[in-house]
Amino acid sequence: MVTGGSSPRGRPKKKKPGSSTASSSGREETREELLRRAAEERAHRKQYKHQESSALVIQAKWRAYRVLSRVKTEFGSRWEAQYGASTSQTTTTTTTTQVDVQALLSPLNFIMARSGEKTERSTARARVALGILTSSRTATPPPPDATRSLLEFIDHCLDLCRLRSEPDLALQAGLLRLLLECQGDLLLRCCGPKLFQVARSALSKPKEDSSLPLRRISRKYALGLLAAVARLSGGLPRQQRVDLAALLLLVPKSSVAEVDDLVAGAVGGLSGEEEGRLVAGFRRLGGGDRALALTSLTQAFPLAPGTSSACMAAVRRDGVGLSELCRSEDFLSAVTRSAPLERALALHPLPLTSSFFAISIECMEADGQVTKAESIISFLAFGSRKTLPAMWRWLAERLTLPAQAPLQATRGWNIASLRDGISGVRKVEGGEDALIVLRLFYRCLEAWLLVADDTELHGGEVFALGELRAIASTMNCLVCNAYLMGGGGGGGESDRALLHGLSGCCARLFDRDAKKRFCPDELWLAPVREGPASAALDPTPSLARQICGGDGDGGPISRLLKLAPWCFAFEDRVKLFRSLVRHETEAGGWTKAPALGGRRPSEVVIRRAHLLEDSIRQIPPLGEALRGRVEVKFINDTGVLEAGLDYGGLVKEYLEECAKAGFNPDLGLFREASGELFVSEVVEELEMGLPALLLLGMVVGKCLWDGILLDVSFAPWFESQLVGRSGSTLEDLRSYDASLYESLLSVKNYEGRVEDLYCFFQVEEDRLGRIVQHELVPGGSDKIVTKANVHLYVHLVAHHHLTKAARGVAAFKKGLNAVVSESWLRIFRKDLSSLLGGTAEEVDVDDLRNHTVYDGGFTKQSSTVKLFWSVVEKLSREEKGKLLKFVTSSSRPPVLGFASLRPPFKITKVRCETSVLASIGLGKDADRLPTASTCFNCLKLPNFKTKRAMREKLLYAIKSGAGFELS
């Protein structure tokens, strides 16, 4: 029906220029009405054009469908009869067959008649033709003429798919299905860049639109097609194998069951140039596709570690796909499987395999996925007992290192091939490969040392002790010689990072050796002792300034002291520390009298009944001033100020009393296990707990500064936290909680399915009546412990318990560093307790006698003094320690000998009534017990006349504490 104002076909009539614009009422139209009517007419014309175009498309589709349907009806039955189930043909039917085939292929020729246009009509015709062909095809291969036309038609459809900005999903799905039905040689003839481009488009991530089902269908056909092509990949040209490999990398493992074998078959055996093209194609992928591709490539890792490493390096370098990859659980599970790793180690050079894992770990860490990086390291360290030994033996062979070292060796600990440090390694043939393996080896070895118990370490389950000594010597020489010989200490960032990592692993070996010896002392000291003359630790003012931070990073000696202090003898480091104290004391004016511009002494008034409370209030505000003189005044229990002048003795008494009260486990600030102290985890819950720890830290710092010995021994792992070292080990847990240690050990060594224990990555603990849960990793409450991650779980549990008093440790450390800089303490990695309380060696009586002073009438030649030393020489080791504790409050001698004891050991005479004949046993001897003033290190000795009386009274005094007094 034609309406007014429209053309007979419904098209709006155009008004002539200048025609009247009067409305139906005869009045002139306003401007607004004219504009509105013009807009309506434009919309009407646009709608008409769309309807007309759609009608033409539908007519074309219908015409094509009718033609193809007629052909199918006419020739379909003959096709089935000729090329269906029966394959036996007679010569009499040849002509008829050719005519039938030609007639059947006429629809394909009709479809491609205007192939140059690539219009919507051509796409619609091709889409209908594909539908008919896929519904009438059989598995029997077509004759040659039909094959040629079919290939031309497929190529035409590939062009239609490629040239569209947005793919026609119906055409794409039909084409992929037709290709999927092709067999053998016909399928290989279809392969090429066009097919791979269409398959890549089908595998791309589907957009959220109404055509999502069609996209899924196309993806399904594309996956099946790639699997079919991959099975025939042996007949593909080399370039097409690379293209196929690149596509297979985008196939999820869950989509095609045998994708591992398909990827391995396509990627394995590629030449260097072909691998380069594959990596270049990989770099063009987007983030999500990169993550999927690399996960798939990891399935073929044993056959192509070089390609895997290059692709991983591209992720790290470009940053594209880094987050998607690192958050992929599929990738993590792919790289932590024992069978592929062992196969890769058997088939390929170790550097290729090591490079892939090293880059994987770096990528994880760069994205903040530290737990996953630790999982990979843990897998390499514990997944197979063969991996670490294989890496070490390869390094030993490549760098001509001793694979094992005997304990009795007296020379050769400074390995000749490592005299130039890292730069010397690079000069060796294949040195760069050795550095790649070394970077991965030290990280895995350090992870193993964190979890290995003493039985595993010393029992030779992974390494023989001779191998561990050789490894320790190698790392020690690399670190020391890199600085001493200039072979790497000043190198690039990569060398510095390697040295830092090697020193950390070497520190683990040193700590385990210090706990239970398996290395001689010479192993650690040889590089410095056999090094250049400049390696001697001469405590000069210049070195003091470098360590104090005045000269930036300082020279090689100061850097080596911070990185590997165990290379220098303990006595030399103590001398250096005393030199640092003298240097800082002079620079700060702490020794000058106030009249000469020095600082005034700090005054503190302490009530003996409220020792800690008054100290908490008065000592922390002093800060750095605690390095100088402190005048202590005591108020006794009656509230009266005690008389007397402080010449240093009262300060020593005060510090000893503070330490005695604060370190008492009954107070709750510290716990004690096996005679070793560490901060209690409940200290935060105690009133004034953290301030008290701050005070005790300053007390320890003052004692270190003044050289006052405290009979205190800290747990080694707690010492490590105080000197800025991190990384607690499972063995450290033994001194913290023996029952928890045994429990974790049973989990680690469990021979059944670890999952059956139902352990998760979280811990529960009773905190003063409250049950508190802590996740060891994000989402740890849902992550079950398995055989693959049990070592990581054990390490995290141990680390949690040994660091859960972090705030208390920080408070103690803050007080300590207020007096003694942390950079000074780092040179005493495991020796802080020895520096504070003295060496564990037996008291040297001759050294003590040579540095003793006498008072009150005694001299070296006094008969009582001679009796005293004759008795002391006969005392047992334990009794000598008790005598020293009785006089100085510490049972251990100073590290540098009694010449460094402050105040010096003193014997003063106590006059007692004795008979003249007592010396020959006929008269009365002195009846008093010896007493001591620990604040002055003074022994008050009665003038005994006989050795028997001297021994009896002295032993009674030192064993029972009787006669102990303060002057």
Side-chain angles (χ1 to χ4, degrees):
M1 182 176 183
V2 181
T3 59
S6 300
S7 64
R9 294 184 62 183
R11 179 180 301 175
K13 294 182 178 180
K14 297 182 178 180
K15 289 189 176 291
K16 296 180 179 180
S19 61
S20 174
T21 59
S23 63
S24 57
S25 60
R27 65 177 178 81
E28 292 291 330
E29 292 181 316
T30 64
R31 178 179 178 81
E32 289 75 9
E33 290 174 338
L34 285 172
L35 292 174
R36 185 170 58 256
R37 189 158 57 82
E40 292 174 353
E41 291 177 354
R42 284 195 300 272
H44 192 190
R45 287 194 296 272
K46 184 176 180 180
Q47 182 182 6
Y48 165 74
K49 288 183 67 176
H50 178 73
Q51 292 174 348
E52 185 178 42
S53 176
S54 299
L56 293 175
V57 170
I58 293 172
Q59 289 173 8
K61 290 182 178 181
W62 178 249
R63 188 162 55 250
Y65 176 75
R66 290 188 62 190
V67 172
L68 291 171
S69 297
R70 185 171 62 253
V71 171
K72 179 183 177 183
T73 302
E74 183 177 352
F75 299 105
S77 57
R78 297 182 185 178
W79 179 282
E80 295 292 342
Q82 190 70 23
Y83 302 104
S86 176
T87 57
S88 59
Q89 308 296 334
T90 60
T91 55
T92 58
T93 61
T94 302
T95 305
T96 307
T97 300
Q98 296 299 326
V99 173
D100 291 343
V101 170
Q102 186 65 35
L104 180 63
L105 295 178
S106 61
L108 305 184
N109 296 327
F110 169 74
I111 294 296
M112 296 181 290
R114 302 177 66 183
S115 60
E117 296 181 1
K118 305 293 187 295
T119 61
E120 181 66 27
R121 296 182 185 181
S122 183
T123 302
R125 293 169 182 163
R127 194 163 53 222
V128 175
L130 284 169
I132 295 175
L133 285 174
T134 53
S135 63
S136 61
R137 285 294 317 279
T138 65
T140 307
D145 287 351
T147 300
R148 184 169 53 254
S149 295
L150 184 62
L151 290 173
E152 291 176 357
F153 173 67
I154 290 174
D155 187 70
H156 172 66
C157 294
L158 289 172
D159 285 338
L160 290 176
C161 290
R162 282 189 320 109
L163 297 177
R164 294 176 61 88
S165 57
E166 287 292 332
D168 185 291
L169 296 178
L171 176 65
Q172 187 183 76
L175 176 60
L176 291 171
R177 179 183 173 187
L178 179 63
L179 289 167
L180 186 58
E181 293 177 354
C182 295
Q183 302 292 324
D185 182 64
L186 178 60
L187 179 58
L188 289 179
R189 291 174 66 180
C190 295
C191 290
K194 294 179 181 179
L195 181 146
F196 291 138
Q197 184 175 347
V198 173
R200 184 185 299 276
S201 173
L203 288 174
S204 62
K205 289 185 177 180
K207 298 179 181 178
E208 296 297 332
D209 55 23
S210 59
S211 59
L212 189 58
L214 276 177
R215 289 185 181 275
R216 289 174 179 166
I217 293 173
S218 297
R219 186 176 180 84
K220 174 183 176 182
Y221 288 152
L223 292 173
L225 176 63
L226 289 178
V229 174
R231 296 186 188 98
L232 304 171
S233 59
L236 289 177
R238 304 294 292 181
Q239 177 59 47
Q240 291 188 15
R241 283 192 64 192
V242 175
D243 294 338
L244 174 63
L247 274 177
L248 286 172
L249 296 181
L250 299 178
V251 179
K253 184 177 180 180
S254 58
S255 301
V256 180
E258 65 273 25
V259 69
D260 292 8
D261 297 333
L262 298 180
V263 173
V267 178
L270 294 180
S271 66
E273 181 180 354
E274 291 165 345
E275 281 190 344
R277 288 200 299 269
L278 179 60
V279 174
F282 174 84
R283 294 190 65 180
R284 290 192 290 270
L285 296 176
D289 287 339
R290 273 196 178 191
L292 178 59
L294 195 53
T295 302
S296 297
L297 186 60
T298 307
Q299 316 292 342
F301 168 70
L303 294 178
T307 307
S308 305
S309 300
C311 292
M312 181 65 75
V315 173
R316 181 186 58 180
R317 181 171 56 252
D318 303 341
V320 179
L322 182 63
S323 297
E324 294 91 338
L325 176 69
C326 295
R327 289 174 171 79
S328 171
E329 292 295 336
D330 291 336
F331 177 77
L332 183 62
S333 62
V335 299
T336 53
R337 294 185 299 164
S338 298
L341 172 62
E342 293 177 359
R343 188 179 180 190
L345 290 174
L347 294 178
H348 298 283
L350 186 60
L352 279 178
T353 306
S354 300
S355 177
F356 172 76
F357 281 103
I359 297 173
S360 302
I361 293 167
E362 290 176 15
C363 286
M364 296 288 184
E365 292 175 336
D367 192 58
Q369 303 292 318
V370 179
T371 302
K372 290 185 177 180
E374 289 177 346
S375 297
I376 298 177
I377 295 172
S378 179
F379 160 71
L380 293 173
F382 301 101
S384 171
R385 293 186 182 273
K386 301 177 182 178
T387 306
L388 278 176
M391 295 171 76
W392 165 243
R393 288 160 194 158
W394 185 92
L395 283 170
E397 180 181 356
R398 180 58 58 93
L399 300 178
T400 61
L401 304 172
Q404 295 203 31
L407 180 63
Q408 297 78 15
T410 57
R411 56 191 177 89
W413 293 114
N414 190 15
I415 302 172
S417 59
L418 302 178
R419 292 290 175 93
D420 292 331
I422 293 178
S423 64
V425 174
R426 284 202 169 92
K427 296 174 185 176
V428 178
E429 183 180 356
E432 291 295 339
D433 288 343
L435 291 178
I436 291 174
V437 177
L438 183 62
R439 284 187 174 90
L440 184 64
F441 174 70
Y442 83 75
R443 298 204 63 175
C444 297
L445 178 63
E446 187 173 5
W448 180 74
L449 290 170
L450 288 175
V451 182
D453 56 272
D454 280 348
T455 302
E456 189 175 1
L457 185 74
H458 292 265
E461 295 184 16
V462 177
F463 290 106
L465 287 180
E467 289 179 310
L468 285 176
R469 281 190 287 271
I471 294 170
S473 180
T474 297
M475 294 189 175
N476 192 53
C477 290
L478 276 173
V479 174
C480 294
N481 291 329
Y483 288 100
L484 298 179
M485 309 303 293
E493 186 64 32
S494 175
D495 283 0
R496 286 193 291 271
L498 176 57
L499 283 174
H500 191 272
L502 285 173
S503 68
C505 185
C506 196
R508 300 284 175 225
L509 286 166
F510 176 78
D511 292 345
R512 299 304 294 268
D513 178 51
K515 186 176 185 298
K516 188 175 181 180
R517 300 304 300 269
F518 61 90
C519 297
D521 290 338
E522 190 62 23
L523 183 152
W524 306 107
L525 303 176
V528 171
R529 290 180 175 175
E530 300 176 14
S534 59
L537 193 59
D538 187 12
T540 60
S542 173
L543 181 58
R545 285 194 299 271
Q546 292 175 9
I547 297 176
C548 292
D551 292 351
D553 288 338
I557 298 299
S558 65
R559 292 202 298 270
L560 186 56
L561 269 170
K562 296 175 182 177
L563 202 62
W566 55 82
C567 298
F568 302 92
F570 177 54
E571 293 77 9
D572 293 338
R573 285 179 279 142
V574 175
K575 292 177 183 178
L576 175 63
F577 177 78
R578 300 316 313 170
S579 176
L580 291 173
V581 171
R582 287 193 299 270
H583 172 271
E584 238 0 63
T585 301
E586 293 171 1
W590 303 112
T591 57
K592 290 183 180 180
L596 299 177
R599 307 193 186 195
R600 295 187 61 84
S602 302
E603 295 184 3
V604 292
V605 179
I606 303 297
R607 295 173 296 172
R608 288 191 181 273
H610 303 278
L611 181 67
L612 290 180
E613 293 88 335
D614 289 351
S615 299
I616 290 172
R617 189 177 66 255
Q618 298 181 57
I619 296 300
L622 296 179
E624 195 178 70
L626 201 60
R627 294 178 173 181
R629 278 195 61 200
V630 178
E631 292 183 355
V632 179
K633 296 180 180 180
F634 283 111
I635 297 177
N636 62 24
D637 293 343
T638 62
V640 178
L641 184 66
E642 296 181 0
L645 298 176
D646 184 4
Y647 293 103
L650 287 180
V651 172
K652 183 174 184 293
E653 176 195 347
Y654 164 70
L655 295 174
E656 291 171 349
E657 290 298 311
C658 269
K660 182 179 179 182
F663 290 122
N664 186 351
D666 294 338
L667 189 62
L669 298 177
F670 281 81
R671 286 177 54 190
E672 183 180 19
S674 303
E676 297 174 338
L677 294 170
F678 52 89
V679 174
S680 172
E681 64 273 14
V682 298
V683 69
E684 298 177 34
E685 312 291 340
L686 302 178
E687 185 180 2
M688 302 297 289
L690 296 179
L693 286 175
L694 177 67
L695 166 69
L696 290 174
M698 297 184 74
V699 167
V700 170
K702 177 63 174 175
C703 290
L704 291 173
W705 190 272
D706 289 350
I708 298 173
L709 296 181
L710 286 181
D711 198 14
V712 172
S713 181
F714 296 126
W717 54 270
F718 176 56
E719 285 187 21
S720 297
Q721 295 173 356
L722 294 180
V723 299
R725 309 290 181 183
S726 59
S728 305
T729 69
L730 176 62
E731 274 301 313
D732 291 332
L733 196 65
R734 188 199 293 263
S735 62
Y736 173 85
D737 189 331
S739 61
L740 178 61
Y741 168 81
E742 294 294 338
S743 177
L744 283 179
L745 208 59
S746 63
V747 173
K748 181 173 80 93
N749 298 328
Y750 188 67
E751 296 181 355
R753 291 183 73 254
V754 181
E755 293 88 339
D756 295 340
L757 299 178
Y758 290 99
C759 296
F760 294 85
F761 278 78
Q762 69 170 5
V763 293
E764 293 184 354
E765 53 190 3
D766 189 344
R767 184 68 62 86
L768 297 180
R770 294 183 296 111
I771 301 298
V772 182
Q773 294 182 344
H774 298 278
E775 288 190 337
L776 302 174
V777 297
S781 58
D782 298 322
K783 185 174 183 179
I784 195 167
V785 178
T786 65
K787 195 72 173 178
N789 60 27
V790 66
H791 295 91
L792 178 61
Y793 167 77
V794 168
H795 166 60
L796 292 177
V797 172
H799 180 73
H800 167 77
H801 285 285
L802 295 174
T803 58
K804 61 184 177 182
R807 290 189 63 191
V809 173
F812 185 87
K813 186 177 176 181
K814 181 180 179 181
L816 178 61
N817 296 152
V819 185
V820 182
S821 173
E822 182 179 331
S823 61
W824 300 10
L825 296 176
R826 284 179 181 170
I827 66 177
F828 298 103
R829 177 179 180 87
K830 288 290 184 180
D831 309 307
L832 190 59
S833 292
S834 297
L835 179 66
L836 178 62
T839 179
E841 297 177 358
E842 185 176 354
V843 175
D844 186 342
V845 178
D846 291 334
D847 183 41
L848 178 60
R849 177 165 44 206
N850 292 335
H851 296 94
T852 298
V853 297
Y854 303 95
D855 193 17
F858 276 154
T859 66
K860 282 185 178 181
Q861 304 303 323
S862 299
S863 59
T864 301
V865 170
K866 291 180 179 180
L867 283 176
F868 171 78
W869 290 119
S870 65
V871 168
V872 171
E873 286 177 344
K874 303 294 185 180
L875 296 179
S876 66
R877 176 171 181 163
E878 181 184 359
E879 290 170 341
K880 291 174 185 177
K882 289 185 176 181
L883 169 63
L884 196 60
K885 184 176 179 64
F886 179 73
V887 180
T888 68
S889 76
S890 176
S891 60
R892 294 177 291 180
V895 176
L896 299 180
F898 288 99
S900 63
L901 184 64
R902 293 293 180 271
F905 194 91
K906 179 191 291 188
I907 300 178
T908 187
K909 184 176 182 178
V910 177
R911 297 184 182 275
C912 300
E913 292 185 6
T914 59
S915 171
V916 177
L917 301 177
S919 59
I920 60 173
L922 298 177
K924 179 183 178 183
D925 204 342
D927 197 31
R928 290 189 60 180
L929 292 173
T931 59
S933 293
T934 57
C935 54
F936 292 105
N937 294 337
C938 178
L939 174 63
K940 299 176 181 181
L941 187 65
N943 54 334
F944 296 108
K945 298 300 182 180
T946 63
K947 183 183 292 188
R948 177 181 177 183
M950 174 76 75
R951 178 179 176 82
E952 288 179 354
K953 300 295 185 184
L954 184 62
L955 288 178
Y956 187 87
I958 65 176
K959 290 184 178 180
S960 65
F964 182 81
E965 68 178 21
L966 295 171
S967 297

